[in-house]
Amino acid sequence: MSDKNLPIGVMDSGVGGLTVVKEIIKSLPSENIIYFGDSKRMPYGNRTEEEIVFLANEIIKFLENNKVKAILLACNTVSSQIDKLKHEVPIFGIIEAGCMAALESSESSDIGLIATVATVKSGVYDKTLKMLDRERHFVANDSRKLPQIINDQLKHKYLLDKHIHECIDPILEKGDIKELILGCSHFPIIENEIAEIYPGLKLINPASKQVKLLEEYLESNNIKNDGKGGIKEIYTTGGTKEFAETLERLHITNYKLSKVQLLKEDTVD
Ligand code: DGL
């Protein structure tokens, strides 16, 4: 198989990275995709840096064994540790893409950011933004609960709204924030729910910029799939039901969904 036909690997701690898959389907419909969502071991955002690196390396190995030509780290939490990851194929984090998207769609000096505990604690969003533009700052807040609630399929609307408020209200109380980065791959899944509560707030999903950067890489290396691709293989360590529900919510069709067990599955739990 030529490199052009090899799939793109996408990894996430759960269903969140399907928001990146949606962008790939939109912008690069001929690409084949292998997705890995580690639902059984999420939330990554409440784990230590060492655990996140260990789990992410295991998934990268899985994707490389499946002969992918590049890997998108859809997970912001994993992307915050990108410098420590072991890989042989090129990997693309989402945080730089998020910062670039923020600068492209905002002129304010303060930009809101919601992400996991580990992502905010890592300070990587701040460092990356500072490198791109010294005059801009993030006003950030984290949530321990939201990613898991979203992964579990939003069964409790009251709980969902409560945690959205707990996460975003403190950011808005700190100043005149007009834009908010959705710095966790799970958050674009509830974009409509957030927009309903904060109609004046511009929500920025880093996924489209991440896929744009991937496209530039594929084009400059002449490995963009120009044939008839579009095969989507989706693997999860958790239940397939929540995946099927999220895929439906995101209008992603024609996929093959399987449950897998990683060798060292229970090493970190
Ligand atoms: N998908 C992860 C991210 O983008 C968050 C979910 C988790 O905590 O596992 O940061």
Side-chain angles (χ1 to χ4, degrees):
M1 205 195 287
S2 90
D3 277 4
K4 286 188 177 185
N5 298 326
L6 294 178
I8 306 289
V10 182
M11 63 170 293
D12 191 69
S13 61
V15 299
L18 294 174
T19 55
V20 170
V21 169
K22 192 177 167 167
E23 289 297 327
I24 299 176
I25 295 166
K26 196 165 97 190
S27 306
L28 301 166
S30 297
E31 295 299 334
N32 298 311
I33 300 169
I34 297 190
Y35 182 92
F36 193 101
D38 200 4
S39 286
K40 183 171 182 214
R41 303 186 294 189
M42 79 159 300
Y44 280 20
N46 300 344
R47 289 187 178 276
T48 65
E49 286 183 6
E50 291 72 25
E51 286 172 343
I52 295 162
V53 170
F54 175 86
L55 297 170
N57 280 337
E58 232 183 17
I59 300 170
I60 290 171
K61 194 115 246 105
F62 174 91
L63 293 171
E64 287 181 340
N65 287 344
N66 279 279
K67 302 268 174 292
V68 294
K69 61 184 170 189
I71 295 175
L72 294 191
L73 310 177
C75 184
N76 291 254
T77 308
V78 168
S79 300
S80 74
Q81 303 302 321
I82 191 167
D83 294 342
K84 300 178 196 143
L85 301 177
K86 288 200 206 98
H87 59 98
E88 270 152 35
V89 304
I91 56 174
F92 294 78
I94 197 164
I95 292 184
E96 193 173 8
C99 291
M100 290 165 89
L103 294 176
E104 280 168 16
S105 50
S106 154
E107 298 200 335
S108 326
S109 64
D110 289 341
I111 304 166
L113 166 71
I114 51 171
T116 64
V117 177
T119 300
V120 173
K121 197 166 147 225
S122 75
V124 174
Y125 260 104
D126 299 303
K127 273 184 234 147
T128 310
L129 188 68
K130 198 166 249 162
M131 271 169 14
L132 297 171
D133 184 341
R134 297 193 70 79
E135 306 304 316
R136 314 283 195 97
H137 306 277
F138 282 123
V139 179
N141 200 16
D142 59 42
S143 174
R144 294 190 80 81
K145 295 270 174 63
L146 266 180
Q148 188 76 65
I149 292 171
I150 298 164
N151 215 74
D152 292 346
Q153 293 314 301
L154 325 163
K155 282 179 207 105
H156 310 287
K157 171 85 174 120
Y158 163 77
L159 209 61
L160 179 67
D161 286 356
K162 175 177 170 288
H163 286 287
I164 291 175
H165 274 292
E166 271 178 26
C167 188
I168 298 177
D169 287 358
I171 294 178
L172 303 184
E173 279 156 19
K174 281 192 192 141
D176 183 21
I177 305 290
K178 296 190 186 72
E179 297 92 9
L180 183 73
I181 302 267
L182 305 175
C184 165
S185 59
H186 284 68
F187 295 163
I189 297 173
I190 56 159
E191 211 164 348
N192 291 343
E193 285 80 356
I194 298 175
E196 215 172 274
I197 301 175
Y198 307 98
L201 197 57
K202 183 170 179 191
L203 304 177
I204 302 169
N205 174 3
S208 59
K209 187 69 188 177
Q210 188 188 31
V211 172
K212 188 94 213 108
L213 296 174
L214 168 73
E215 185 174 7
E216 285 169 19
Y217 163 79
L218 297 176
E219 273 169 356
S220 61
N221 287 279
N222 198 23
I223 51 169
K224 192 167 164 179
N225 195 344
D226 45 18
K228 195 174 149 289
I231 297 167
K232 300 178 276 293
E233 285 177 33
I234 297 174
Y235 296 94
T236 176
T237 51
T240 50
K241 192 170 163 279
E242 74 229 15
F243 265 81
E245 284 171 10
T246 306
L247 285 155
E248 196 184 330
R249 190 173 164 93
L250 296 173
H251 308 294
I252 299 173
T253 53
N254 297 326
Y255 54 82
K256 183 170 163 266
L257 176 59
S258 321
K259 184 167 168 149
V260 282
Q261 240 185 322
L262 287 182
L263 268 178
K264 295 175 187 154
E265 183 153 22
D266 296 318
T267 318
V268 181
D269 242 338

